[in-house]
């Protein structure tokens, strides 16, 4: 008499049954996570947060087209009671050659030269360090990782003066050498800012990337080692492609932080137009007594364009990076 045997009760051959079972469990967990994230309450909460978050940006947009006298006398929410639109604010910000409100072109380029390398450098170093902490075994690895993570509690302001002293003593010869080698782009002016942003970004970037890279299945790494792959081959051929969502998520945060930074760039750039970022010029636009902040609204909205482009370009990676590890059992 034959008895029916369920597929789950059959013996596992070559690990195929375990892989199929793991895939089904992962799919079930992913479905539960998506169901929680797409519930009616989550949708309503997301809409409310989005509206509240958008109101200040919408107010800046409306104010950037209003004349100075209306901005100083009425609020942007009274646009229907006090109508009035002009392009003078954008004209003063983008096209005026006067000393009181110089064009933003040079500062815009400076911000790009600051933000792009200050995002690439810490990501490259942090991804390598995260792989080392996750998959390489050496003495004091756990203690060193805790030490790196604990560096986040050090206030940024405490490191500004010591770093400035170190740069003035040890980095000055390197800056002069770079100036003699590369004289087209003033790289020597940006070098202290790049190093400072890289130092401040590494602890959090290493921690976030470590959490993602450490969740890569051990079987994948062990199989590569059995095939004779070195750590460099494992990192560049296996870990790096799998970690793209996490790297993109960290890249968005780092780029936005550097792009909106004023304190670090102001201290390490010297405040000159050769290396000063866009945020410094925005802070100067309101005048000595804050009487011309109608230009600030136009300049601030212009500065939003690049972060928006970066965010929407990496949005799909950003969402995948945020959900990474949500299906872990």
């Amino acid at each position: 008499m034959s008895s029916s045997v369920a597929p789950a009760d059959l013996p596992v051959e070559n690990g195929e049954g375990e892989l199929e079972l793991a895939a089904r469990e992962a799919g079930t967990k992913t479905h539960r996570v998506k169901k929680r994230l797409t519930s009616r309450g989550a949708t309503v909460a997301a809409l409310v947060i989005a509206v509240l978050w958008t109101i200040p940006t919408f107010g800046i947009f409306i104010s950037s087209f209003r004349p100075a006298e209306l901005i100083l006398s009425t609020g942007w929410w009274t646009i229907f009671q006090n109508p009035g639109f002009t392009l003078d604010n954008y004209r003063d910000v983008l096209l005026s050659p006067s000393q009181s409100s110089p064009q933003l072109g040079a500062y815009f380029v400076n911000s790009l030269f600051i933000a792009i390398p200050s995002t690439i450098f810490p990501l490259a170093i942090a991804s390598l360090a995260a792989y080392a902490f996750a998959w390489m075994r050496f003495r004091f690895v756990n203690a060193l990782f805790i030490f790196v993570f604990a560096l986040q509690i050090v206030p940024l302001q405490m490191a500004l003066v010591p770093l400035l002293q170190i740069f003035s003593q040890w980095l000055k010869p390197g800056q002069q050498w770079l100036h003699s080698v590369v004289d087209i782009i003033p790289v020597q002016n940006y070098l202290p800012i790049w190093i400072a942003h890289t130092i401040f970004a590494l602890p959090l970037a290493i921690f976030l990337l470590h959490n993602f890279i450490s969740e890569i299945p051990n079987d994948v790494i062990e199989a590569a080692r059995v095939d004779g792959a070195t750590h460099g081959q494992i990192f560049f051929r296996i870990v790096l492609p799998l970690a793209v969502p996490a790297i993109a998520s960290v890249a968005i945060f780092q780029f936005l932080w550097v792009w909106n930074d004023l304190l670090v760039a102001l201290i390490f750039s010297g405040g000159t137009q050769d290396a000063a970022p866009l945020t410094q010029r925005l802070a100067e636009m309101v005048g000595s007594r804050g009487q011309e902040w109608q230009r600030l609204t136009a300049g601030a909205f212009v500065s939003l364009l690049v972060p928006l482009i970066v965010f929407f370009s990496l949005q799909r990676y950003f969402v995948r990076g945020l959900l990474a590890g949500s299906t872990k059992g």
Side-chain angles (χ1 to χ4, degrees):
M1 183 176 181
S2 61
S3 60
S4 60
V5 181
D9 298 331
L10 292 175
V12 176
E13 297 290 342
N14 299 326
E16 295 179 358
E18 293 181 356
L19 291 177
E20 294 177 358
L21 181 61
R24 287 198 297 269
E25 291 179 354
T28 303
K29 293 177 182 178
T30 304
H31 177 72
R32 289 200 298 265
V33 171
K34 290 182 178 179
K35 186 176 181 180
R36 289 196 299 267
L37 293 177
T38 56
S39 62
R40 182 174 299 178
T43 302
V44 173
L47 290 176
V48 172
I49 293 174
V51 171
L52 294 177
W53 195 272
T54 308
I55 287 176
T57 305
F58 182 73
I60 294 176
F61 178 74
I62 295 297
S63 299
S64 65
F65 290 100
R66 305 191 73 198
E69 57 273 10
L70 290 180
I71 289 180
L72 296 176
S73 59
T74 61
W76 64 267
W77 53 89
T78 63
I79 185 66
F80 295 105
Q81 290 81 6
N82 303 281
F85 294 94
T86 181
L87 295 176
D88 292 341
N89 300 332
Y90 286 95
R91 188 180 299 109
D92 292 342
V93 168
L94 297 175
L95 303 178
S96 176
S98 64
Q99 294 295 327
S100 60
S101 59
Q103 300 179 18
L104 291 181
Y107 298 96
F108 198 89
V109 173
N110 289 342
S111 291
L112 290 177
F113 275 116
I114 292 173
I116 294 176
S118 297
T119 303
I120 296 176
F121 293 158
L123 284 180
I125 299 174
S127 58
L128 291 169
Y131 171 79
F133 285 126
W135 295 106
M136 296 177 66
R137 294 294 171 258
F138 50 90
R139 294 186 62 183
F140 309 116
V141 57
N142 294 328
L144 185 59
F145 177 73
I146 293 174
F147 172 75
V148 171
F149 176 71
L151 290 176
Q152 298 182 70
I153 66 176
V154 178
L156 182 148
Q157 293 79 4
M158 291 181 59
L160 294 179
V161 175
L163 274 180
L164 192 60
Q165 293 177 346
I166 293 174
F167 289 167
S168 61
Q169 294 178 2
W170 301 99
L171 199 61
K172 206 67 175 180
Q175 291 179 266
Q176 296 174 354
W177 176 80
L178 282 175
H179 180 67
S180 63
V181 175
V182 183
D183 55 353
I184 300 177
I185 300 175
V187 179
Q188 71 281 354
N189 296 334
Y190 303 110
L191 188 60
I193 312 175
W194 294 342
I195 297 177
H197 278 303
T198 300
I199 292 174
F200 295 139
L202 279 177
L204 181 60
I206 292 174
F207 174 73
L208 295 177
L209 293 179
H210 171 269
N211 291 345
F212 185 93
I213 293 176
S214 62
E215 292 181 1
I216 297 176
N218 185 58
D219 296 339
V220 177
I221 306 297
E222 291 299 329
R225 291 174 179 170
V226 170
D227 292 338
T230 62
H231 283 296
Q233 292 172 334
I234 294 174
F235 175 78
F236 287 105
R237 296 185 180 180
I238 298 177
V239 174
L240 196 59
L242 293 176
V244 168
I247 293 175
S249 300
V250 178
I252 290 176
F253 286 120
Q254 176 65 9
F255 184 88
L256 295 181
W257 183 76
V258 175
W259 184 267
N260 295 322
D261 170 72
L262 174 62
L263 179 62
V264 175
L266 183 61
I267 291 177
F268 293 101
S269 68
T272 61
Q273 188 175 348
D274 296 334
L278 185 61
T279 50
Q280 176 180 330
R281 182 57 200 149
L282 294 180
E284 297 171 351
M285 280 184 177
V286 294
S288 58
R289 293 178 296 276
Q291 72 277 11
E292 297 179 351
W293 69 275
Q294 74 278 0
R295 296 172 179 170
L296 179 62
T297 59
F301 201 80
V302 171
S303 69
L304 290 175
L305 296 179
V306 172
L308 287 177
I309 293 174
V310 171
F311 178 79
F312 286 114
S313 300
L314 301 176
Q315 183 181 14
R316 59 191 183 99
Y317 297 108
F318 178 71
V319 175
R320 288 168 55 189
L322 289 181
L323 294 179
S326 60
T327 60
K328 186 178 180 180

